[in-house]
Amino acid sequence: QDDLSVKAKRRNSETSEASSADVPEQTDKKTHQYPTAKRRLCSLKKKEEASQLRDQSRKPSLLPDAAYNINKINRLLMRDDRYKKLYKRCSPRWTKKYELRPEDAQNDDVIDYAIDSEVKIRSSEGHKIWDVQWARSGKGDTGFEIDFVVASSPREIGDLLNMKDGSKSLLFKYSQYPVPSWQPINLIERGRAKLVDSFDNRNLDLDFIETRLCMELGEAEFKKRFPNRYLAFEDGVGKGRYVVCQRSLYVNRLRAIEWRWNYICARAGLPPLYIVDWTDELEDDKSLWDLEFVLYLVQSPSVRAMLSNFNQLKALRCEKTCRKCTQTARTSKISRCCNIKQSIDIMDARGSLRMVDVGEGSGGPLHALMDFECSDACGCGSSCENRRLQKGRQMTLVVFREPTKGWGVRCVSEIQKGAYVTEYIGEVTKHGGNNNYEFQMSSFQAVTANGKTYKTPLIIGAEKKGNESRFFAHSCSPNTEPIQTIVERHGLFFHHVAFNALRRILPGEELTFSYFGEEDAKKKIKMMFGACSCRSPECHFPADKHSASTSDGSSKKESVEEKKKSRKRARMEVKVEGEEDEKRGSADKSEEKDERRGREPIGDDVHVDYEMDDQPGPSTRSSNSMNGETKKRGEKITIDAMKKEEENEGGKKGAERKRKREEGEGGKRVSKRNRRYSPSQY
């Protein structure tokens, strides 16, 4: 049996060699039959390619001219394993409660180290000065304090930094040194682990944005649009190994601005903010340096003086029995509460309000357009839930730069429908400056007094002073809504602007609101942007319509210009023909006059003598003399002479002046028939 099996193996090998020898080098796939294993491998590869194409087709495209379904993307994200892990790890941090401190009661324990000024001013000094400073300190390589971590080595989504991993590095900004330097993680002292943990939380928050953009764009398109998700490692220069890459220096400046903003937030008791730019476009930190970051409305001196004389809403306060102000008008036994809009009624034409029992007030559109928060005069305490704007922002936001839209804002935590997001902060003035960053107070309300109607001129401008809401982008299907909110009791003409969520917002999503109303949206979008880049299905003026309208407009302009040119050409031709007809008519009249006087007109058989010997004559004469022909020259000579006279005398006016001059000198006009023309007159 062993011999038979060996013989069978030999026979199979010989047949396979013969079959392989018979197969030509360039085989035809249709006629040649491959072995079953190869056929199965080919079919598997085809299935994998088909599945990859299918997956790519399923991923939504976020090109500027393409709309996408936000609900579908959210469903896909909640099924993604990486997103689920991030959500589970980070969600416990979202339950922390914050409370905005009053402007005159800031936390003085937070020390201002002026890191942003140090980075802005001293970055151009050079590494030689920093080396001298390092030598004088005598602390060695690890004895310096760290202000913040600028960046880290590339990592997987959801991974934490391992303090024992020597292959990973961090870009540190050391205290009193404006330029950062790279250092391996395993050389970091354990006392600085808290600083690394805070940077881990920052990386995990930014992973939400990366995961969402990869889901929207695809990983290849994400890497193309955001190539600077991580910075490249470099040895640096000098003893401190200071980086020289322009991109690293730019990110260091952004982190310095972020430090200043977070210092202000920490003093006020609010969560941190992030500033992130992963694009490969030109550096854009000037607008951030020029912005004075504030968390409270800044009143100009004239507005402050005006508000001191107004207290129209002093009667607007809760009852003493009201505690948390969470009851609604239907189920509450308390009928007079600031949180129940039906209990607030307009008292007079000046806009003063009063508290009434539910159902007794006049109601009206005021209830739907404004929110009323409790004040210190109300009977409820500090635990009142109707003080959302006064408690401040409760979540971490990211000022994120898009490659086509510029700076925007994204969230890194889940926001429920109806939740308060942030307030629009700026300087309150009577007259605005830049319309791009302005909110008009009570733009919907007109105050009537003494038979006259007035609109309040107060404006919140965030061009020079503002907070993160200044960078909110426009969308035709927004996820937030600005709500006019009354906090102080000056009157309806002075209120705050609070952004509330219109729906559930998942981590990593961009925060937007509509810049315009429904009626004038198309016109104002076209004036402000040219084309809307919100990419929503409800977009009023998308890029494809803008390109079509511009192309149609250009073609229309071209057709109009062509018509104008053709009309001008036709008018010129008609004018020239009319002038020639007039000249022919004048020549015919002169011939008739000559015939009446008995003179012989210039005919076909008469040759005109020119006062010249060797000078070449005009083209008409030279051609006629060469052919040996004599033609009727009276008409031609008259027309050419008149043309030359008009040119020499300055057109028709010159010819008219010459005619009058000749009549004044000789008493009567000299006939063209009796003139002798010379070549100089042509």
Side-chain angles (χ1 to χ4, degrees):
Q1 290 179 357
D2 295 338
D3 295 339
L4 290 174
S5 62
V6 171
K7 290 180 181 179
K9 289 180 180 179
R10 289 178 180 176
R11 193 183 301 111
N12 292 334
S13 62
E14 290 175 359
T15 54
S16 62
E17 290 176 0
S19 61
S20 61
D22 295 335
V23 176
E25 294 181 359
Q26 296 180 353
T27 59
D28 189 1
K29 293 183 179 180
K30 295 182 179 179
T31 58
H32 179 66
Q33 298 294 331
Y34 287 98
T36 55
K38 289 186 177 180
R39 287 202 300 271
R40 290 177 182 174
L41 185 61
C42 292
S43 63
L44 288 174
K45 288 183 178 180
K46 289 181 180 179
K47 288 181 181 179
E48 290 177 359
E49 292 176 358
S51 63
Q52 290 177 1
L53 293 173
R54 199 181 302 112
D55 294 338
Q56 290 178 3
S57 62
R58 287 177 180 174
K59 290 181 180 179
S61 174
L62 284 187
L63 296 175
D65 56 346
Y68 66 99
N69 190 344
I70 193 70
N71 296 325
K72 184 177 180 181
I73 294 174
N74 290 340
R75 288 195 299 269
L76 292 174
L77 280 173
M78 294 308 295
R79 297 173 187 172
D80 188 75
D81 294 335
R82 298 181 302 178
Y83 197 84
K84 287 181 180 179
K85 291 180 181 178
L86 284 173
Y87 191 92
K88 187 176 181 180
R89 179 177 289 177
C90 299
S91 56
R93 292 192 282 114
W94 303 341
T95 58
K96 185 178 180 180
K97 298 296 182 180
Y98 298 88
E99 187 170 354
L100 179 65
R101 291 173 174 267
E103 191 172 1
D104 55 352
Q106 299 290 297
N107 186 7
D108 295 332
D109 294 337
V110 182
I111 303 174
D112 184 8
Y113 293 103
I115 297 175
D116 55 336
S117 301
E118 177 185 308
V119 172
K120 186 177 181 180
I121 297 173
R122 296 189 55 201
S123 294
S124 59
E125 289 180 351
H127 68 276
K128 294 182 179 180
I129 298 177
W130 307 326
D131 288 342
V132 173
Q133 181 180 345
W134 177 82
R136 289 177 180 176
S137 64
K139 294 182 180 180
D141 294 337
T142 59
F144 296 96
E145 296 181 0
I146 298 176
D147 291 332
F148 52 78
V149 182
V150 179
S152 65
S153 301
R155 42 178 282 279
E156 296 294 332
I157 293 177
D159 288 351
L160 299 176
L161 296 174
N162 187 3
M163 299 291 291
K164 297 180 180 180
D165 190 1
S167 62
K168 302 293 183 180
S169 301
L170 291 177
L171 184 61
F172 289 107
K173 194 274 174 191
Y174 290 99
S175 179
Q176 299 181 2
Y177 290 87
V179 176
S181 58
W182 288 94
Q183 184 175 346
I185 298 179
N186 57 353
L187 298 180
I188 300 174
E189 298 178 359
R190 291 186 177 181
R192 300 172 180 175
K194 186 177 180 180
L195 188 65
V196 177
D197 291 342
S198 63
F199 188 73
D200 269 334
N201 293 335
R202 186 179 189 273
N203 275 338
L204 292 175
D205 290 339
L206 297 181
D207 286 343
F208 279 113
I209 300 177
E210 182 180 357
T211 307
R212 185 177 189 88
L213 289 175
C214 288
M215 180 65 68
E216 293 175 354
L217 304 172
E219 293 186 1
E221 186 66 21
F222 171 78
K223 292 179 181 179
K224 181 179 179 181
R225 295 193 181 190
F226 303 97
N228 293 311
R229 171 65 176 95
Y230 294 99
L231 298 178
F233 177 84
E234 59 177 313
D235 293 331
V237 296
K239 296 179 181 179
R241 299 185 296 275
Y242 313 105
V243 296
V244 294
C245 178
Q246 292 297 325
R247 191 71 195 184
S248 300
L249 297 175
Y250 170 61
V251 175
N252 182 50
R253 294 197 298 272
L254 293 181
R255 291 284 282 134
I257 299 171
E258 179 184 320
W259 178 90
R260 168 57 60 183
W261 291 10
N262 289 333
Y263 163 76
I264 297 172
C265 292
R267 281 176 55 85
L270 295 184
L273 294 168
Y274 303 146
I275 302 176
V276 177
D277 184 1
W278 294 342
T279 64
D280 197 19
E281 297 183 350
L282 297 176
E283 300 175 357
D284 186 19
D285 56 334
K286 186 179 183 303
S287 59
L288 303 178
W289 284 115
D290 296 340
L291 177 66
E292 183 181 348
F293 188 81
V294 292
L295 297 175
Y296 310 91
L297 287 179
V298 181
Q299 300 175 6
S300 63
S302 58
V303 172
R304 193 181 300 110
M306 182 187 71
L307 295 179
S308 62
N309 299 324
F310 282 90
N311 193 15
Q312 297 178 355
L313 309 181
K314 59 183 178 181
L316 188 63
R317 60 179 182 270
C318 299
E319 295 180 350
K320 294 182 179 180
T321 56
C322 188
R323 289 292 177 264
K324 293 187 178 181
C325 302
T326 57
Q327 299 89 349
T328 60
R330 295 180 181 178
T331 60
S332 175
K333 296 180 180 179
I334 300 172
S335 60
R336 297 188 178 185
C337 177
C338 295
N339 199 25
I340 303 175
K341 295 182 180 180
Q342 286 78 3
S343 65
I344 300 173
D345 187 37
I346 299 178
M347 188 167 59
D348 53 19
R350 295 182 178 181
S352 300
L353 302 181
R354 63 177 179 174
M355 302 296 293
V356 297
D357 293 333
V358 177
E360 295 182 1
S362 60
L366 179 67
H367 299 155
L369 293 171
M370 302 193 75
D371 284 346
F372 301 91
E373 288 198 354
C374 298
S375 64
D376 296 336
C378 295
C380 57
S382 59
S383 60
C384 174
E385 296 186 6
N386 192 30
R387 302 192 182 197
R388 300 189 302 174
L389 185 142
Q390 299 176 56
K391 291 181 180 179
R393 173 173 49 86
Q394 299 295 313
M395 73 282 296
T396 299
L397 300 180
V398 182
V399 179
F400 187 79
R401 191 182 182 193
E402 301 279 351
T404 55
K405 297 165 59 176
W407 293 107
V409 179
R410 290 182 178 266
C411 64
V412 289
S413 60
E414 185 179 5
I415 304 174
Q416 298 297 332
K417 180 180 179 180
Y420 169 75
V421 180
T422 187
E423 179 187 358
Y424 192 83
I425 297 296
E427 186 177 5
V428 183
T429 57
K430 290 184 178 180
H431 305 285
N434 191 350
N435 293 326
N436 295 336
Y437 301 103
E438 289 180 356
F439 257 102
Q440 290 186 358
M441 287 191 177
S442 302
S443 59
F444 58 87
Q445 181 221 4
V447 179
T448 304
N450 300 326
K452 296 182 180 181
T453 303
Y454 300 94
K455 272 199 171 183
T456 55
L458 296 184
I459 292 173
I460 304 176
E463 182 182 4
K464 298 179 180 179
K465 300 178 182 180
N467 65 345
E468 69 280 353
S469 63
R470 177 185 186 268
F471 302 98
F472 276 22
H474 164 78
S475 177
C476 297
S477 56
N479 51 19
T480 64
E481 179 185 15
I483 300 295
Q484 288 82 2
T485 306
I486 294 290
V487 177
E488 295 84 0
R489 300 313 194 234
H490 299 297
L492 294 177
F493 60 89
F494 183 84
H495 60 76
H496 297 253
V497 178
F499 287 99
N500 295 344
L502 291 173
R503 55 173 175 81
R504 181 192 179 194
I505 305 174
L506 291 182
E509 190 174 345
E510 185 179 12
L511 300 179
T512 58
F513 74 100
S514 179
Y515 287 3
F516 320 103
E518 292 291 336
E519 298 178 356
D520 56 350
K522 292 184 179 180
K523 183 178 179 181
K524 289 190 175 181
I525 287 173
K526 189 175 181 180
M527 290 173 59
M528 192 169 184
F529 305 113
C532 183
S533 58
C534 68
R535 303 183 297 269
S536 64
E538 296 83 9
C539 184
H540 295 294
F541 202 74
D544 52 355
K545 290 185 180 180
H546 173 69
S547 59
S549 64
T550 52
S551 61
D552 294 341
S554 60
S555 61
K556 289 179 181 179
K557 287 181 180 180
E558 291 177 359
S559 61
V560 169
E561 290 179 357
E562 289 179 358
K563 287 181 181 179
K564 286 182 179 180
K565 289 181 180 179
S566 61
R567 289 174 184 173
K568 189 175 181 180
R569 226 180 280 116
R571 287 196 298 267
M572 291 295 293
E573 291 176 357
V574 170
K575 187 176 180 181
V576 170
E577 290 178 358
E579 290 178 355
E580 291 180 354
D581 292 340
E582 290 178 359
K583 292 174 182 178
R584 290 194 188 98
S586 61
D588 294 339
K589 288 180 182 179
S590 62
E591 290 178 358
E592 290 177 1
K593 289 180 182 179
D594 293 338
E595 289 177 356
R596 290 174 185 175
R597 293 175 184 176
R599 297 175 182 175
E600 183 181 3
I602 298 178
D604 295 337
D605 299 333
V606 180
H607 184 76
V608 180
D609 295 330
Y610 294 89
E611 296 179 356
M612 58 173 289
D613 294 331
D614 298 332
Q615 296 178 0
S619 60
T620 54
R621 181 185 180 279
S622 60
S623 60
N624 292 333
S625 62
M626 287 176 65
N627 295 331
E629 298 176 357
T630 57
K631 295 185 178 180
K632 185 177 180 180
R633 302 174 184 272
E635 182 178 349
K636 186 68 177 176
I637 292 172
T638 305
I639 295 171
D640 293 341
M642 289 176 66
K643 287 182 179 180
K644 193 63 180 179
E645 286 177 3
E646 289 178 1
E647 291 178 1
N648 294 338
E649 296 293 333
K652 292 183 179 180
K653 294 183 180 179
E656 187 68 21
R657 287 196 298 270
K658 186 177 180 181
R659 184 183 65 78
K660 290 181 180 180
R661 187 171 63 253
E662 290 175 354
E663 288 180 355
E665 290 175 359
K668 59 181 180 179
R669 184 178 177 183
V670 179
S671 176
K672 295 179 182 178
R673 170 69 177 78
N674 299 330
R675 293 182 188 176
R676 293 180 64 85
Y677 294 91
S678 62
S680 61
Q681 287 178 303
Y682 279 86

